[in-house]
Amino acid sequence: VELTESGGGLVQSGDSLRLSCAASGRVFSAYSVGWFRRTPEKERDFVAAIGRGDTRYADSVKGRFTISRDVAKDTVYLQMDSLKPEDTAVYFCAAGTIPTSNSRTYTFWGHGTQVTVSS
């Protein structure tokens, strides 16, 4: 599976962004997908994950971020609302067999998209 993230950018605190993770190469719907972010402090910080019908979120983004998938488009989205400066990071999507918060369980990774939130 090849994964490509898009949708990052520079926004102000309180704004929204929607990240996309587009897949090609295999049946994407068979995989669980996770979003992670990299900051100077953390290499792989879990953000959210989606399985066949279940989702999970990091406490830091609950109520602000929403993960969803469009099976027909082979795309998973991360809707990010009420963004904060501490959300600034490079965001990666990853595909694996189960929707966990453990980055080591994911096999395929995208190259990331930068999100910068100014105060």
Side-chain angles (χ1 to χ4, degrees), residues 72-91:
K73 295 183 178 180
D74 279 342
T75 301
V76 170
Y77 302 99
L78 184 68
Q79 177 66 42
M80 305 188 296
D81 299 320
S82 302
L83 283 162
K84 304 176 181 179
E86 51 264 43
D87 294 318
T88 295
V90 179
Y91 284 72

Side-chain angles (χ1 to χ4, degrees), residues 1 3 5 19 22-23 32 37 39 42 50 53 59 62 69 75 79 82 90-92 97 102-103 109 114 118:
V1 177
L3 304 176
E5 303 94 337
L19 304 184
S32 295
R37 59 191 181 187
T39 67
K42 293 184 180 181
I50 186 166
D59 288 342
K62 278 182 183 176
R69 71 193 309 163
T75 301
Q79 177 66 42
S82 302
V90 179
Y91 284 72
F92 298 86
T97 56
N102 185 348
S103 63
W109 290 83
Q114 176 71 47
S118 63

Side-chain angles (χ1 to χ4, degrees), residues 8-21:
L10 171 62
V11 297
Q12 294 186 332
S13 181
D15 285 350
S16 298
L17 278 175
R18 189 178 77 161
L19 304 184
S20 298
C21 173

